[in-house]
Amino acid sequence: GRKRPPFKMVKILMRADTHVSFSVPAEEPVAKCTVSQVLAALSVSLGSMVVGFSSAYTSPALVSMQNRNITAFEVTSQSGSWVGGIMPLAGLAGGILGGPMIEYLGRKNTILATATPFIISWLLIGCATHVSMVLVGRAMSGLCVGIASLSLPVYLGETVQPEVRGTLGLLPTAFGNIGILLCFVAGNYLDWSGLAFLGAALPVPFLLLMFLIPETPRWYVSRNREDRARKALQWLRGRKADVEPELKGIAKSHQEAERHASKSAMLDLLKKSNLKPLMISLGLMFFQQLSGINAVIFYTVTIFKSAGSTIDENICTIIVGCVNFIATFIATVLIDRLGRKILLYISDVAMIITLMTLGTFFYMKNNGDDVSNIGWLPLAAFVVFVLGFSLGFGPIPWLMMGEILPGKIRGSAASVATAFNWSCTFVVTKTFADITDAIGNHGAFWMFGSVCIVGLLFVILYVPETQGKSLEDIERKMMGRVRRMSSVANIKPLSFNM
């Protein structure tokens, strides 16, 4: 019952004038995930670890920063809220700036350009003698976070083979979660200044490894440097791989995009064929942030305090960080087996159930009901919420941003999507306290849960499946130009055991 492999014809000489043809099994092409691709994914993912550390910094650091026995300068509750809020705001500026940067400097050089400012920003915070130095450092790291969160998925989307793009494409998210966890754990032992000096050390291995990897072949093709593109592709696919079919596919896709392009990048974005993938990307970013995840991460300790949880809030924070980290590794194993949409469904349903449960718990507590016998419930709900988010809505909007946006507008469209994401992050984190004052923390959780229900419908109706497809095939399908399948998409899917 075993499937027979395809056959090739072989001629055997019988007599001087006779040829007999018969079939023997041909070798099947096997997709190999080369060490080079893993190194490329690992290098950019270390940048994501710095991003995760930067995002989580305020949660453990603000407590010691506002303690006058530790800090020589005063940090009011208002300036403290800006220490948290200025980073996503600067991330929005970084997202806008990153689009032109990845087009003109290249994907690799843009990522590389964030490493040194990251180090300087953390040193500024660590050596701060006034709150303004902390704010300048947070603004500078936020700018780098915005640029990095745009360029990392674009780089990986353009360098990794379709069969493992899901698995390796989730590495930045996994390392981002390592950064969050590291910040939570180290925050238990270090004050805000020591934590900042740890942050300054993190970009160093990232900076060194980035020099080892090449620019993306697609960027070289867009700059008419085909020889450099061939070398980069050969490095990524292995010395013995035949890269010509893939290179021709990239060149053909670029020529097609050039034919349909207008002179203005903004006009290109507004074309009907380009607007569809952009709106899907924006929709995914919107539902990612309006699930309330950043409010949960930024205010974890505060939420556990208000829940009157029977478990120490700092331990709860570390548990949430651990779950976030483990869930992303589960997602990396499942994404190229189950596909993007199935994981988004699982993610959304888990978040809807837990947000509604958290809302009900806080409603009962605020109404004076005795909830002491279910003091474990906030932590259990948080764990399932973070697990659900990290399986789907955490990593997949970023992964799909690098997949579904057409090559010609990838820089400007990714810039719009990233800036929009950071705008939503800023709005959610800055208004979370106001929302809870206005409608109660139960109302805030119910509101986020309702948004997730709408998000589930959005995924069902509009989000395409991109599993195992080359970027050229995704682009043709999204833009309605169906052509011959790229040879890369026909390679047998890799079995990636972790």
Side-chain angles (χ1 to χ4, degrees):
R2 191 170 158 270
K3 267 189 175 178
R4 289 194 304 167
F7 289 93
K8 63 183 177 185
M9 302 306 286
V10 179
K11 290 184 177 180
I12 301 268
L13 189 66
M14 295 286 285
R15 244 180 30 209
D17 59 345
T18 314
H19 287 87
V20 173
S21 298
F22 68 97
S23 301
V24 297
E27 288 178 19
E28 286 188 26
V30 178
K32 287 182 182 176
C33 179
T34 61
V35 175
S36 309
Q37 284 181 76
V38 175
L39 177 64
L42 187 65
S43 303
V44 297
S45 299
L46 285 173
S48 195
M49 186 162 76
V50 184
V51 170
F53 191 92
S54 307
S55 303
Y57 177 74
T58 46
S59 189
L62 265 181
V63 180
S64 60
M65 201 179 280
Q66 291 175 327
N67 184 342
R68 287 310 302 268
N69 295 325
I70 298 171
T71 311
F73 51 89
E74 189 186 3
V75 179
T76 62
S77 57
Q78 190 58 38
S79 56
S81 80
W82 275 108
V83 171
I86 200 166
M87 199 206 80
L89 201 59
L92 158 62
I96 295 167
L97 185 66
M101 281 177 76
I102 64 169
E103 291 301 338
Y104 296 110
L105 297 180
R107 281 63 161 146
K108 176 194 167 178
N109 289 337
T110 301
I111 297 168
L112 198 52
T114 63
T116 307
F118 259 135
I119 296 169
I120 294 167
S121 71
W122 283 115
L123 290 175
L124 259 177
I125 296 167
C127 300
T129 53
H130 190 270
V131 72
S132 57
M133 282 178 74
V134 177
L135 291 172
V136 170
R138 288 292 284 164
M140 192 188 285
S141 69
L143 191 75
C144 295
V145 162
I147 295 167
S149 56
L150 172 144
S151 46
L152 298 179
V154 171
Y155 181 90
L156 280 182
E158 293 188 356
T159 51
V160 177
Q161 282 171 274
E163 298 75 29
V164 288
R165 197 171 55 236
T167 305
L168 294 183
L170 289 197
L171 269 185
T173 313
F175 273 80
N177 290 336
I178 292 173
I180 292 170
L181 182 59
L182 178 65
C183 191
F184 283 167
V185 174
N188 258 357
Y189 305 100
L190 301 171
D191 65 6
W192 61 271
S193 179
L195 205 55
F197 286 125
L198 175 62
L202 287 183
V204 176
F206 158 60
L207 176 65
L208 297 174
L209 278 178
M210 281 305 297
F211 284 109
L212 302 178
I213 62 175
E215 182 53 79
T216 77
R218 282 172 182 81
W219 186 78
Y220 278 136
V221 166
S222 73
R223 288 287 176 268
N224 298 315
R225 293 157 77 178
E226 207 162 297
D227 284 345
R228 298 294 295 271
R230 186 178 288 104
K231 280 179 188 171
L233 204 53
Q234 199 75 63
W235 187 91
L236 288 159
R237 301 293 180 258
R239 279 179 300 181
K240 293 180 182 177
D242 179 17
V243 297
E244 287 306 316
E246 188 176 356
L247 189 62
K248 280 176 186 168
I250 293 168
K252 186 180 175 186
S253 182
H254 174 69
Q255 286 160 9
E256 226 167 65
E258 284 289 310
R259 263 205 316 276
H260 292 83
S262 60
K263 286 180 183 176
S264 163
M266 283 313 293
L267 283 176
D268 274 342
L269 281 180
L270 297 173
K271 279 187 173 180
K272 191 181 175 184
S273 55
N274 291 336
L275 207 54
K276 182 185 172 186
L278 177 62
M279 293 311 290
I280 291 169
S281 190
L282 290 179
L284 286 170
M285 295 302 189
F286 176 82
F287 291 113
Q288 181 198 63
Q289 290 306 320
L290 268 289
S291 67
I293 185 64
N294 272 308
V296 168
I297 294 291
F298 277 49
Y299 298 102
T300 309
V301 174
T302 317
I303 292 165
F304 277 118
K305 270 185 181 170
S306 65
S309 176
T310 48
I311 307 163
D312 177 67
E313 61 265 12
N314 286 317
I315 300 295
C316 291
T317 307
I318 291 168
I319 291 169
V320 168
C322 285
V323 171
N324 198 8
F325 167 62
I326 293 162
T328 313
F329 275 102
I330 296 169
T332 57
V333 174
L334 295 179
I335 195 160
D336 281 320
R337 289 185 170 94
L338 298 181
R340 281 66 163 154
K341 287 192 79 165
I342 296 290
L343 286 184
L344 286 172
Y345 294 152
I346 295 168
S347 177
D348 226 331
V349 170
M351 290 194 296
I352 291 163
I353 293 167
T354 50
L355 286 167
M356 294 304 182
T357 305
L358 276 168
T360 307
F361 173 87
F362 279 107
Y363 179 75
M364 289 167 65
K365 185 175 184 295
N366 296 343
N367 277 4
D369 294 338
D370 181 23
V371 290
S372 57
N373 59 333
I374 50 168
W376 52 268
L377 189 65
L379 177 61
F382 261 64
V383 163
V384 178
F385 173 76
V386 171
L387 184 71
F389 179 83
S390 302
L391 274 178
F393 262 94
I396 291 175
W398 293 109
L399 176 70
M400 291 191 80
M401 183 183 85
E403 290 181 330
I404 63 173
L405 297 176
K408 181 64 183 169
I409 61 152
R410 196 165 286 141
S412 48
S415 184
V416 169
T418 305
F420 179 71
N421 183 285
W422 284 108
S423 305
C424 293
T425 306
F426 175 71
V427 169
V428 171
T429 50
K430 201 80 180 79
T431 61
F432 183 67
D434 300 324
I435 292 167
T436 52
D437 287 344
I439 58 175
N441 40 18
H442 61 279
F445 285 119
W446 281 340
M447 182 191 81
F448 291 139
S450 304
V451 172
C452 288
I453 293 170
V454 181
L456 182 60
L457 294 173
F458 175 79
V459 174
I460 293 167
L461 296 174
Y462 299 109
V463 177
E465 182 54 77
T466 56
Q467 179 193 6
K469 295 183 176 79
S470 74
L471 296 191
E472 286 69 42
D473 293 326
I474 294 165
E475 185 169 333
R476 288 182 194 119
K477 192 175 179 184
M478 292 294 289
M479 300 178 79
R481 298 200 296 273
V482 181
R483 296 280 188 277
R484 179 184 64 80
M485 286 281 281
S486 158
S487 59
V488 183
N490 294 323
I491 297 175
K492 182 184 174 187
L494 171 75
S495 172
F496 204 89
N497 299 316
M498 293 187 71

